[in-house]
mmCIF file of all heavy atoms in Angstrom:
data_model
loop_
_atom_site.group_PDB
_atom_site.id
_atom_site.type_symbol
_atom_site.label_atom_id
_atom_site.label_comp_id
_atom_site.label_asym_id
_atom_site.label_seq_id
_atom_site.Cartn_x
_atom_site.Cartn_y
_atom_site.Cartn_z
ATOM 1 N N ARG A 1 13.830 2.261 -10.082
ATOM 2 C CA ARG A 1 14.564 1.502 -11.095
ATOM 3 C C ARG A 1 13.661 0.485 -11.783
ATOM 4 O O ARG A 1 13.713 0.320 -12.999
ATOM 5 C CB ARG A 1 15.774 0.812 -10.470
ATOM 6 C CG ARG A 1 16.917 1.757 -10.177
ATOM 7 C CD ARG A 1 18.170 1.002 -9.753
ATOM 8 N NE ARG A 1 17.999 0.232 -8.532
ATOM 9 C CZ ARG A 1 18.110 0.744 -7.296
ATOM 10 N NH1 ARG A 1 18.385 2.024 -7.133
ATOM 11 N NH2 ARG A 1 17.950 -0.024 -6.242
ATOM 12 N N ARG A 2 12.843 -0.214 -11.010
ATOM 13 C CA ARG A 2 11.949 -1.229 -11.571
ATOM 14 C C ARG A 2 10.986 -0.612 -12.580
ATOM 15 O O ARG A 2 10.730 -1.174 -13.635
ATOM 16 C CB ARG A 2 11.157 -1.903 -10.440
ATOM 17 C CG ARG A 2 10.250 -3.027 -10.950
ATOM 18 C CD ARG A 2 9.302 -3.532 -9.885
ATOM 19 N NE ARG A 2 8.259 -2.539 -9.687
ATOM 20 C CZ ARG A 2 7.785 -2.154 -8.512
ATOM 21 N NH1 ARG A 2 8.262 -2.667 -7.399
ATOM 22 N NH2 ARG A 2 6.842 -1.257 -8.415
ATOM 23 N N GLU A 3 10.482 0.579 -12.272
ATOM 24 C CA GLU A 3 9.508 1.238 -13.138
ATOM 25 C C GLU A 3 10.163 2.151 -14.174
ATOM 26 O O GLU A 3 9.484 2.752 -14.989
ATOM 27 C CB GLU A 3 8.519 2.051 -12.289
ATOM 28 C CG GLU A 3 7.701 1.224 -11.335
ATOM 29 C CD GLU A 3 6.758 0.258 -12.036
ATOM 30 O OE1 GLU A 3 6.257 0.591 -13.133
ATOM 31 O OE2 GLU A 3 6.521 -0.824 -11.472
ATOM 32 N N ARG A 4 11.503 2.258 -14.105
ATOM 33 C CA ARG A 4 12.270 3.137 -14.999
ATOM 34 C C ARG A 4 11.759 4.572 -14.911
ATOM 35 O O ARG A 4 11.438 5.215 -15.900
ATOM 36 C CB ARG A 4 12.228 2.634 -16.443
ATOM 37 C CG ARG A 4 12.908 1.294 -16.600
ATOM 38 C CD ARG A 4 12.902 0.774 -18.007
ATOM 39 N NE ARG A 4 11.553 0.722 -18.543
ATOM 40 C CZ ARG A 4 11.241 1.013 -19.807
ATOM 41 N NH1 ARG A 4 12.166 1.353 -20.651
ATOM 42 N NH2 ARG A 4 10.003 0.934 -20.225
ATOM 43 N N LEU A 5 11.692 5.072 -13.682
ATOM 44 C CA LEU A 5 11.211 6.426 -13.414
ATOM 45 C C LEU A 5 12.295 7.222 -12.700
ATOM 46 O O LEU A 5 13.286 6.655 -12.230
ATOM 47 C CB LEU A 5 9.962 6.385 -12.523
ATOM 48 C CG LEU A 5 8.729 5.707 -13.116
ATOM 49 C CD1 LEU A 5 7.658 5.571 -12.048
ATOM 50 C CD2 LEU A 5 8.212 6.481 -14.303
ATOM 51 N N TYR A 6 12.072 8.505 -12.619
ATOM 52 C CA TYR A 6 12.958 9.395 -11.876
ATOM 53 C C TYR A 6 12.218 9.918 -10.650
ATOM 54 O O TYR A 6 10.979 9.932 -10.608
ATOM 55 C CB TYR A 6 13.396 10.579 -12.742
ATOM 56 C CG TYR A 6 14.248 10.168 -13.907
ATOM 57 C CD1 TYR A 6 13.697 10.045 -15.172
ATOM 58 C CD2 TYR A 6 15.603 9.906 -13.743
ATOM 59 C CE1 TYR A 6 14.481 9.664 -16.256
ATOM 60 C CE2 TYR A 6 16.395 9.524 -14.814
ATOM 61 C CZ TYR A 6 15.824 9.402 -16.073
ATOM 62 O OH TYR A 6 16.598 9.030 -17.117
ATOM 63 N N HIS A 7 12.985 10.373 -9.684
ATOM 64 C CA HIS A 7 12.382 10.931 -8.481
ATOM 65 C C HIS A 7 11.500 12.127 -8.831
ATOM 66 O O HIS A 7 10.472 12.379 -8.195
ATOM 67 C CB HIS A 7 13.474 11.338 -7.479
ATOM 68 C CG HIS A 7 12.920 11.935 -6.241
ATOM 69 N ND1 HIS A 7 12.879 13.285 -6.033
ATOM 70 C CD2 HIS A 7 12.349 11.364 -5.145
ATOM 71 C CE1 HIS A 7 12.310 13.529 -4.864
ATOM 72 N NE2 HIS A 7 11.996 12.385 -4.301
ATOM 73 N N SER A 8 11.879 12.867 -9.873
ATOM 74 C CA SER A 8 11.088 14.036 -10.279
ATOM 75 C C SER A 8 9.683 13.639 -10.714
ATOM 76 O O SER A 8 8.732 14.399 -10.509
ATOM 77 C CB SER A 8 11.793 14.791 -11.403
ATOM 78 O OG SER A 8 11.982 13.950 -12.523
ATOM 79 N N HIS A 9 9.538 12.433 -11.292
ATOM 80 C CA HIS A 9 8.195 11.961 -11.651
ATOM 81 C C HIS A 9 7.336 11.862 -10.389
ATOM 82 O O HIS A 9 6.223 12.402 -10.331
ATOM 83 C CB HIS A 9 8.252 10.566 -12.300
ATOM 84 C CG HIS A 9 8.749 10.548 -13.704
ATOM 85 N ND1 HIS A 9 9.923 9.945 -14.049
ATOM 86 C CD2 HIS A 9 8.220 11.034 -14.853
ATOM 87 C CE1 HIS A 9 10.110 10.057 -15.347
ATOM 88 N NE2 HIS A 9 9.090 10.726 -15.869
ATOM 89 N N VAL A 10 7.864 11.156 -9.410
ATOM 90 C CA VAL A 10 7.108 10.934 -8.171
ATOM 91 C C VAL A 10 6.810 12.256 -7.486
ATOM 92 O O VAL A 10 5.700 12.486 -7.001
ATOM 93 C CB VAL A 10 7.880 9.977 -7.235
ATOM 94 C CG1 VAL A 10 7.161 9.827 -5.902
ATOM 95 C CG2 VAL A 10 8.061 8.623 -7.901
ATOM 96 N N LYS A 11 7.783 13.140 -7.474
ATOM 97 C CA LYS A 11 7.611 14.442 -6.832
ATOM 98 C C LYS A 11 6.484 15.235 -7.498
ATOM 99 O O LYS A 11 5.606 15.790 -6.828
ATOM 100 C CB LYS A 11 8.941 15.199 -6.931
ATOM 101 C CG LYS A 11 9.070 16.402 -6.089
ATOM 102 C CD LYS A 11 10.517 16.880 -6.171
ATOM 103 C CE LYS A 11 10.633 18.312 -5.770
ATOM 104 N NZ LYS A 11 11.991 18.821 -5.933
ATOM 105 N N GLU A 12 6.484 15.262 -8.831
ATOM 106 C CA GLU A 12 5.455 15.992 -9.581
ATOM 107 C C GLU A 12 4.076 15.361 -9.382
ATOM 108 O O GLU A 12 3.091 16.050 -9.153
ATOM 109 C CB GLU A 12 5.832 15.974 -11.065
ATOM 110 C CG GLU A 12 4.832 16.651 -11.974
ATOM 111 C CD GLU A 12 5.236 16.512 -13.436
ATOM 112 O OE1 GLU A 12 6.441 16.444 -13.723
ATOM 113 O OE2 GLU A 12 4.323 16.460 -14.276
ATOM 114 N N TRP A 13 4.029 14.031 -9.432
ATOM 115 C CA TRP A 13 2.751 13.344 -9.278
ATOM 116 C C TRP A 13 2.207 13.485 -7.858
ATOM 117 O O TRP A 13 1.003 13.619 -7.656
ATOM 118 C CB TRP A 13 2.909 11.865 -9.630
ATOM 119 C CG TRP A 13 3.323 11.623 -11.057
ATOM 120 C CD1 TRP A 13 3.291 12.521 -12.090
ATOM 121 C CD2 TRP A 13 3.867 10.423 -11.591
ATOM 122 N NE1 TRP A 13 3.773 11.941 -13.240
ATOM 123 C CE2 TRP A 13 4.130 10.649 -12.965
ATOM 124 C CE3 TRP A 13 4.160 9.171 -11.060
ATOM 125 C CZ2 TRP A 13 4.646 9.674 -13.804
ATOM 126 C CZ3 TRP A 13 4.678 8.194 -11.895
ATOM 127 C CH2 TRP A 13 4.917 8.444 -13.256
ATOM 128 N N ARG A 14 3.085 13.483 -6.875
ATOM 129 C CA ARG A 14 2.646 13.648 -5.481
ATOM 130 C C ARG A 14 2.061 15.046 -5.277
ATOM 131 O O ARG A 14 1.028 15.215 -4.630
ATOM 132 C CB ARG A 14 3.803 13.419 -4.515
ATOM 133 C CG ARG A 14 3.351 13.472 -3.052
ATOM 134 C CD ARG A 14 4.501 13.399 -2.063
ATOM 135 N NE ARG A 14 5.267 12.174 -2.179
ATOM 136 C CZ ARG A 14 6.578 12.123 -2.447
ATOM 137 N NH1 ARG A 14 7.264 13.233 -2.604
ATOM 138 N NH2 ARG A 14 7.204 10.974 -2.530
ATOM 139 N N ALA A 15 2.714 16.056 -5.836
ATOM 140 C CA ALA A 15 2.215 17.432 -5.700
ATOM 141 C C ALA A 15 0.832 17.564 -6.340
ATOM 142 O O ALA A 15 -0.059 18.205 -5.774
ATOM 143 C CB ALA A 15 3.192 18.404 -6.350
ATOM 144 N N ALA A 16 0.646 16.930 -7.486
ATOM 145 C CA ALA A 16 -0.660 16.983 -8.150
ATOM 146 C C ALA A 16 -1.712 16.248 -7.319
ATOM 147 O O ALA A 16 -2.840 16.718 -7.177
ATOM 148 C CB ALA A 16 -0.568 16.388 -9.549
ATOM 149 N N ARG A 17 -1.321 15.104 -6.766
ATOM 150 C CA ARG A 17 -2.260 14.352 -5.930
ATOM 151 C C ARG A 17 -2.643 15.157 -4.705
ATOM 152 O O ARG A 17 -3.805 15.248 -4.336
ATOM 153 C CB ARG A 17 -1.624 13.020 -5.498
ATOM 154 C CG ARG A 17 -2.547 12.185 -4.613
ATOM 155 C CD ARG A 17 -1.807 11.187 -3.782
ATOM 156 N NE ARG A 17 -0.900 11.888 -2.850
ATOM 157 C CZ ARG A 17 0.059 11.293 -2.175
ATOM 158 N NH1 ARG A 17 0.297 10.001 -2.328
ATOM 159 N NH2 ARG A 17 0.819 11.988 -1.344
ATOM 160 N N ASP A 18 -1.664 15.791 -4.061
ATOM 161 C CA ASP A 18 -1.927 16.562 -2.853
ATOM 162 C C ASP A 18 -2.777 17.790 -3.147
ATOM 163 O O ASP A 18 -3.515 18.254 -2.286
ATOM 164 C CB ASP A 18 -0.614 16.974 -2.192
ATOM 165 C CG ASP A 18 0.149 15.770 -1.631
ATOM 166 O OD1 ASP A 18 -0.442 14.674 -1.542
ATOM 167 O OD2 ASP A 18 1.340 15.936 -1.311
ATOM 168 N N ALA A 19 -2.666 18.316 -4.360
ATOM 169 C CA ALA A 19 -3.490 19.464 -4.740
ATOM 170 C C ALA A 19 -4.917 19.029 -5.056
ATOM 171 O O ALA A 19 -5.786 19.869 -5.244
ATOM 172 C CB ALA A 19 -2.875 20.174 -5.944
ATOM 173 N N GLY A 20 -5.129 17.700 -5.121
ATOM 174 C CA GLY A 20 -6.462 17.186 -5.398
ATOM 175 C C GLY A 20 -6.855 17.339 -6.855
ATOM 176 O O GLY A 20 -8.029 17.359 -7.195
ATOM 177 N N ALA A 21 -5.886 17.442 -7.695
ATOM 178 C CA ALA A 21 -6.170 17.654 -9.114
ATOM 179 C C ALA A 21 -5.807 16.403 -9.892
ATOM 180 O O ALA A 21 -4.731 16.301 -10.465
ATOM 181 C CB ALA A 21 -5.389 18.852 -9.627
ATOM 182 N N LEU A 22 -6.711 15.454 -9.925
ATOM 183 C CA LEU A 22 -6.456 14.204 -10.636
ATOM 184 C C LEU A 22 -6.230 14.471 -12.112
ATOM 185 O O LEU A 22 -5.393 13.841 -12.746
ATOM 186 C CB LEU A 22 -7.624 13.231 -10.438
ATOM 187 C CG LEU A 22 -7.435 11.836 -11.011
ATOM 188 C CD1 LEU A 22 -6.269 11.142 -10.320
ATOM 189 C CD2 LEU A 22 -8.698 11.023 -10.871
ATOM 190 N N GLU A 23 -6.954 15.452 -12.671
ATOM 191 C CA GLU A 23 -6.781 15.742 -14.095
ATOM 192 C C GLU A 23 -5.391 16.314 -14.382
ATOM 193 O O GLU A 23 -4.896 16.214 -15.486
ATOM 194 C CB GLU A 23 -7.858 16.687 -14.628
ATOM 195 C CG GLU A 23 -7.874 18.068 -14.019
ATOM 196 C CD GLU A 23 -8.651 18.174 -12.717
ATOM 197 O OE1 GLU A 23 -9.215 17.168 -12.266
ATOM 198 O OE2 GLU A 23 -8.664 19.273 -12.147
ATOM 199 N N LYS A 24 -4.748 16.889 -13.363
ATOM 200 C CA LYS A 24 -3.393 17.409 -13.564
ATOM 201 C C LYS A 24 -2.378 16.286 -13.628
ATOM 202 O O LYS A 24 -1.245 16.506 -14.021
ATOM 203 C CB LYS A 24 -3.012 18.384 -12.451
ATOM 204 C CG LYS A 24 -3.695 19.716 -12.574
ATOM 205 C CD LYS A 24 -3.159 20.688 -11.567
ATOM 206 C CE LYS A 24 -3.831 22.034 -11.712
ATOM 207 N NZ LYS A 24 -3.386 22.987 -10.719
ATOM 208 N N LEU A 25 -2.785 15.097 -13.233
ATOM 209 C CA LEU A 25 -1.872 13.968 -13.306
ATOM 210 C C LEU A 25 -1.709 13.467 -14.738
ATOM 211 O O LEU A 25 -0.808 12.711 -15.023
ATOM 212 C CB LEU A 25 -2.368 12.822 -12.424
ATOM 213 C CG LEU A 25 -2.252 13.060 -10.923
ATOM 214 C CD1 LEU A 25 -2.857 11.905 -10.166
ATOM 215 C CD2 LEU A 25 -0.806 13.247 -10.526
ATOM 216 N N VAL A 26 -2.556 13.872 -15.633
ATOM 217 C CA VAL A 26 -2.426 13.474 -17.024
ATOM 218 C C VAL A 26 -1.380 14.358 -17.673
ATOM 219 O O VAL A 26 -1.483 15.579 -17.643
ATOM 220 C CB VAL A 26 -3.785 13.611 -17.757
ATOM 221 C CG1 VAL A 26 -3.627 13.258 -19.215
ATOM 222 C CG2 VAL A 26 -4.824 12.734 -17.103
ATOM 223 N N ASP A 27 -0.370 13.746 -18.223
ATOM 224 C CA ASP A 27 0.715 14.488 -18.862
ATOM 225 C C ASP A 27 0.214 15.029 -20.190
ATOM 226 O O ASP A 27 -0.055 14.269 -21.110
ATOM 227 C CB ASP A 27 1.918 13.575 -19.065
ATOM 228 C CG ASP A 27 3.147 14.331 -19.503
ATOM 229 O OD1 ASP A 27 3.031 15.529 -19.816
ATOM 230 O OD2 ASP A 27 4.220 13.719 -19.528
ATOM 231 N N ARG A 28 0.081 16.341 -20.303
ATOM 232 C CA ARG A 28 -0.468 16.935 -21.512
ATOM 233 C C ARG A 28 0.452 16.773 -22.710
ATOM 234 O O ARG A 28 0.024 16.831 -23.844
ATOM 235 C CB ARG A 28 -0.775 18.410 -21.272
ATOM 236 C CG ARG A 28 -2.029 18.570 -20.444
ATOM 237 C CD ARG A 28 -2.330 20.038 -20.210
ATOM 238 N NE ARG A 28 -3.608 20.282 -19.602
ATOM 239 C CZ ARG A 28 -4.004 19.845 -18.423
ATOM 240 N NH1 ARG A 28 -3.219 19.090 -17.701
ATOM 241 N NH2 ARG A 28 -5.195 20.149 -17.944
ATOM 242 N N ARG A 29 1.733 16.577 -22.449
ATOM 243 C CA ARG A 29 2.660 16.393 -23.569
ATOM 244 C C ARG A 29 2.398 15.082 -24.273
ATOM 245 O O ARG A 29 2.624 14.951 -25.466
ATOM 246 C CB ARG A 29 4.096 16.431 -23.080
ATOM 247 C CG ARG A 29 4.495 17.779 -22.514
ATOM 248 C CD ARG A 29 5.845 17.679 -21.881
ATOM 249 N NE ARG A 29 5.761 16.715 -20.788
ATOM 250 C CZ ARG A 29 6.740 16.383 -19.997
ATOM 251 N NH1 ARG A 29 7.909 16.911 -20.159
ATOM 252 N NH2 ARG A 29 6.583 15.508 -19.028
ATOM 253 N N THR A 30 1.961 14.064 -23.543
ATOM 254 C CA THR A 30 1.740 12.757 -24.141
ATOM 255 C C THR A 30 0.266 12.430 -24.260
ATOM 256 O O THR A 30 -0.091 11.386 -24.756
ATOM 257 C CB THR A 30 2.417 11.659 -23.305
ATOM 258 O OG1 THR A 30 1.875 11.704 -21.981
ATOM 259 C CG2 THR A 30 3.909 11.841 -23.265
ATOM 260 N N GLY A 31 -0.589 13.333 -23.806
ATOM 261 C CA GLY A 31 -2.020 13.100 -23.895
ATOM 262 C C GLY A 31 -2.502 13.249 -25.328
ATOM 263 O O GLY A 31 -1.770 13.664 -26.217
ATOM 264 N N PRO A 32 -3.746 12.888 -25.558
ATOM 265 C CA PRO A 32 -4.256 13.002 -26.926
ATOM 266 C C PRO A 32 -4.313 14.457 -27.362
ATOM 267 O O PRO A 32 -4.502 15.364 -26.560
ATOM 268 C CB PRO A 32 -5.666 12.406 -26.831
ATOM 269 C CG PRO A 32 -6.032 12.527 -25.389
ATOM 270 C CD PRO A 32 -4.739 12.433 -24.617
ATOM 271 N N ALA A 33 -4.136 14.667 -28.637
ATOM 272 C CA ALA A 33 -4.168 16.019 -29.186
ATOM 273 C C ALA A 33 -5.584 16.562 -29.109
ATOM 274 O O ALA A 33 -6.558 15.808 -29.108
ATOM 275 C CB ALA A 33 -3.699 15.994 -30.639
ATOM 276 N N ARG A 34 -5.663 17.884 -29.017
ATOM 277 C CA ARG A 34 -6.989 18.494 -28.994
ATOM 278 C C ARG A 34 -7.683 18.199 -30.319
ATOM 279 O O ARG A 34 -7.042 18.239 -31.374
ATOM 280 C CB ARG A 34 -6.881 20.002 -28.821
ATOM 281 C CG ARG A 34 -6.595 20.392 -27.399
ATOM 282 C CD ARG A 34 -6.653 21.882 -27.260
ATOM 283 N NE ARG A 34 -5.323 22.380 -27.630
ATOM 284 C CZ ARG A 34 -5.065 23.609 -28.005
ATOM 285 N NH1 ARG A 34 -6.008 24.486 -28.081
ATOM 286 N NH2 ARG A 34 -3.857 23.978 -28.311
ATOM 287 N N PRO A 35 -8.982 17.931 -30.268
ATOM 288 C CA PRO A 35 -9.677 17.670 -31.530
ATOM 289 C C PRO A 35 -9.695 18.933 -32.385
ATOM 290 O O PRO A 35 -9.841 20.039 -31.877
ATOM 291 C CB PRO A 35 -11.088 17.275 -31.094
ATOM 292 C CG PRO A 35 -11.236 17.811 -29.710
ATOM 293 C CD PRO A 35 -9.855 17.854 -29.117
#
């Protein structure tokens, strides 16, 4: 509630962290557009 997040955010981010893919933690939908 404090961070205005959903459990699905944490779940997705935890799975990416556990997979060891830090670059997967960057949300491509909100990331910078490809040059």
Side-chain angles (χ1 to χ4, degrees):
R1 285 189 298 277
R2 183 190 74 223
E3 298 295 327
R4 295 181 305 142
L5 296 172
Y6 294 100
H7 179 260
S8 59
H9 285 114
V10 175
K11 193 172 160 184
E12 178 184 329
W13 298 345
R14 185 186 299 121
R17 180 202 63 193
D18 292 347
L22 186 63
E23 63 275 359
K24 286 187 179 177
L25 289 176
V26 177
D27 190 351
R28 284 180 171 61
R29 295 172 298 181
T30 59
R34 282 186 275 160

